[in-house]
Amino acid sequence: MATSIGNEAGQHTGDQSGFHLIHEGPQALVARAVLIDETSVSVDLQYYIFSDDTSGRILTDKLLQAADRGVRVRLLVDDLGTRLNNPWVTPLDNHPNIEVRVFNPVEGQSRIRRGLEQLLNLGRINHRMHNKLLIADGIAMITGGRNISDGYFTSADVEFLDVDTIAIGAILPEAAKTFDEYWNHQVSVPASELVLENEDAHTLTELRDRLQQRLHEEEASEFFQAVKDSSLAQDLAQGKVSFEWGKATLLADPPDKAAEPDRIPITEYPGYQLEQIVRKLQQRLQISNAYVIPGEPGMNLFTELEKRGVQVDVLTNGLSSTDTAAAHGGYSRYRKPLLRAGVRLWELRPAAEREHRMHWFKDKSRATLHAKTFVMDSDRGFVGSINLDSRSIILNTEIGVLIENREINRQLQELFQTWTAPDSAWRLELDSEGDIRWRRTDDDGEEIVKDKDPNSTLWQRFLTGILAYLPIESQI
């Protein structure tokens, strides 16, 4: 690991951890590439999605380079999120310094066999590993909401707005312990033990050849320019990145939540632990989250906070910016109750302009919110992978960090204000008859009011209306 990062961590002993937030997509890719480049001992990665696209190939190449210089690489991916869609991950396992494991795999690779397995073993298969974690040399880590796929780093038809944090210091041993628990769990199966269809089986040589060919073709892409031109790479290597220090808590589900959920008390779930922290807030709670389906417990919590004078603000996706119709259907049932409870509610606009985007991104893209952040009072913040729905809270495994630092709190609050500005989001309100109105102002200060989900079609509204009342809330 770069001595500058190691020195920075070494200057703060005891229970202090340092954090540097990243909300720009290109910077998030650069940070991962730099940490892998700077490793000298080990790099551990745990991801729900690791795609075979430009960003995935860049990081795959970085992992191979690290392994070639003697670094031990461990890659743990979720089977449903990765293996079926990226057969170029498992060939990494053929490198003597790389081991790939697949979490909670589905038997069989063919569509028919996998489909049967999912039907016959839904109780097991329904629990997925949604964690996002990279640990470099046990000294620095990255966690947050981003998977390894182009859209999370701002290059696709859909731009995911998200937040990660680089962390160093006291929190690292706990993160390493969590990774090891997943890595050594009985449902984390070595890739070498999984039988692939012939057309999906590739050698390490084939992987290297394909990487070189595809990366050469993509040299002019925005991602290569990001890795080449971003100042973050040099700043990280030279110790110029500022870290905010304070106490921190790693909130991570045990892997048995997916394997043997009946054995795990709910008190060990990060969602439950977050709820206990939120209940004690005195001033404000600002939530940015892709999916907000609070259920009765969440509604009771928000109502209790509002009655105590705690202002609750929520930003989530609208019908035109969501990537999951079922999730929006579930959320739409709670919009009026949330507003009646006093929650201030915003929905992201799909074509939100990003004035702060890096200079090489010229085109507009459809935006969808993927971040999972909390601003708590004026001194704490949370960054992680946890959505506010039953799937994240009860079914999937998740991870995140609770950071006790006023500057991190301020940065997350500033980002929330940027994302809820009129050029980025609609503000929802109830009119005198109790119906929802979507409001924002245009560039000239003129108010725009909509009485239906903005930028949506009749079919979209009909479909989500049906989905809103199907008994599937516990699965989304």
Side-chain angles (χ1 to χ4, degrees), residues 10 61 122 130 138 169 205 208 222 281 293 338 342 382 384 393 397 450 472:
D61 185 55
L122 181 62
H130 196 239
T205 299
R208 288 186 188 273
E222 54 213 1
L281 297 182
I293 308 174
L338 285 167
F382 174 83
I393 303 299
T397 69
K450 302 286 186 180
I472 58 175

Side-chain angles (χ1 to χ4, degrees), residues 136-167:
D137 282 349
I139 295 175
M141 61 178 268
I142 298 177
T143 193
R146 288 185 175 90
N147 291 294
I148 306 301
S149 188
D150 284 356
Y152 299 95
F153 303 112
T154 321
S155 172
D157 293 335
V158 178
E159 172 193 357
F160 290 99
L161 303 185
D162 219 325
V163 181
D164 290 320
T165 182
I166 306 174

Side-chain angles (χ1 to χ4, degrees), residues 186-203:
Q186 61 183 355
V187 299
S188 293
V189 179
S192 58
E193 297 181 10
L194 297 173
V195 179
L196 300 179
E197 300 296 319
N198 289 335
E199 62 269 22
D200 289 330
H202 304 287
T203 67

Side-chain angles (χ1 to χ4, degrees), residues 32-241:
R32 287 165 170 81
V34 170
L35 290 191
I36 295 172
D37 279 345
E38 296 294 331
T39 54
S40 58
V41 179
S42 66
V43 58
D44 296 329
L45 303 95
Q46 181 181 12
Y47 282 97
Y48 176 66
I49 295 174
F50 198 118
S51 293
D52 177 35
D53 53 16
T54 304
S55 60
R57 287 188 285 271
I58 288 174
L59 295 183
T60 298
D61 185 55
K62 296 289 186 183
L63 292 175
L64 278 172
Q65 291 179 37
D68 288 344
R69 64 177 183 266
V71 174
R72 183 203 67 186
V73 177
R74 296 187 295 179
L75 173 61
L76 178 62
V77 296
D78 182 84
D79 189 41
L80 292 190
T82 299
R83 188 164 68 95
L84 183 63
N85 297 320
N86 187 3
W88 292 99
V89 164
T90 49
L92 284 168
D93 192 65
N94 296 320
H95 194 293
N97 290 329
I98 301 178
E99 187 174 357
V100 179
R101 295 187 182 180
V102 179
F103 189 81
N104 200 15
V106 181
E107 294 296 330
Q109 182 72 5
S110 70
R111 291 179 182 272
I112 294 176
R113 289 181 63 188
R114 287 174 70 89
L116 288 173
E117 170 73 3
Q118 288 173 301
L119 287 174
L120 295 174
N121 294 283
L122 181 62
R124 174 178 68 85
I125 300 305
N126 200 29
H127 297 267
R128 306 315 315 170
M129 183 190 75
H130 196 239
N131 308 43
K132 289 90 172 163
L133 179 65
L134 184 155
I135 304 174
D137 282 349
I139 295 175
M141 61 178 268
I142 298 177
T143 193
R146 288 185 175 90
N147 291 294
I148 306 301
S149 188
D150 284 356
Y152 299 95
F153 303 112
T154 321
S155 172
D157 293 335
V158 178
E159 172 193 357
F160 290 99
L161 303 185
D162 219 325
V163 181
D164 290 320
T165 182
I166 306 174
I168 58 179
I171 201 169
L172 263 297
E174 187 63 29
K177 178 183 176 183
T178 294
F179 180 89
D180 284 342
E181 288 174 350
Y182 276 84
W183 183 257
N184 294 314
H185 198 276
Q186 61 183 355
V187 299
S188 293
V189 179
S192 58
E193 297 181 10
L194 297 173
V195 179
L196 300 179
E197 300 296 319
N198 289 335
E199 62 269 22
D200 289 330
H202 304 287
T203 67
L204 183 61
T205 299
E206 289 174 331
L207 173 61
R208 288 186 188 273
D209 291 343
R210 182 175 184 271
L211 276 176
Q212 294 310 307
Q213 177 185 349
R214 295 301 299 271
L215 293 177
H216 177 72
E217 294 170 354
E218 296 163 350
E219 281 182 343
S221 73
E222 54 213 1
F223 288 131
F224 272 88
Q225 293 183 53
V227 173
K228 177 182 176 182
D229 297 342
S230 173
S231 61
L232 180 63
Q234 290 185 348
D235 290 346
L236 275 171
Q238 297 174 8
K240 296 180 180 179
V241 171

Side-chain angles (χ1 to χ4, degrees), residues 289-299 302 314 316 324-335 338 387-391 393 467-468 472-476:
N289 205 279
Y291 312 124
V292 177
I293 308 174
E296 184 177 349
M299 286 304 309
F302 292 150
V314 176
T316 190
T324 306
H328 186 82
Y331 152 71
S332 66
R333 296 176 50 214
Y334 291 97
R335 290 190 292 201
L338 285 167
N387 291 310
L388 296 186
D389 57 25
S390 294
R391 174 151 294 279
I393 303 299
L467 292 171
I472 58 175
E473 185 172 310
S474 63
Q475 300 299 310
I476 55 176

Side-chain angles (χ1 to χ4, degrees), residues 330-400:
Y331 152 71
S332 66
R333 296 176 50 214
Y334 291 97
R335 290 190 292 201
K336 287 184 179 181
L338 285 167
L339 293 169
R340 286 195 291 263
V343 174
R344 296 193 298 193
L345 187 59
W346 287 264
E347 293 178 356
L348 190 75
R349 294 176 57 202
E353 295 290 342
R354 302 284 162 244
E355 296 298 335
H356 57 272
R357 291 174 69 182
M358 313 256 324
H359 66 275
W360 46 79
F361 294 107
K362 302 299 184 183
D363 299 328
K364 297 177 181 178
S365 64
R366 178 172 171 263
T368 188
L369 184 69
H370 193 259
K372 303 95 169 53
T373 66
F374 285 51
V375 178
M376 303 179 184
D377 286 344
S378 60
D379 58 351
R380 281 160 291 171
F382 174 83
V383 176
S385 68
I386 305 172
N387 291 310
L388 296 186
D389 57 25
S390 294
R391 174 151 294 279
S392 272
I393 303 299
I394 303 298
L395 297 176
N396 291 345
T397 69
E398 307 286 356
I399 193 170

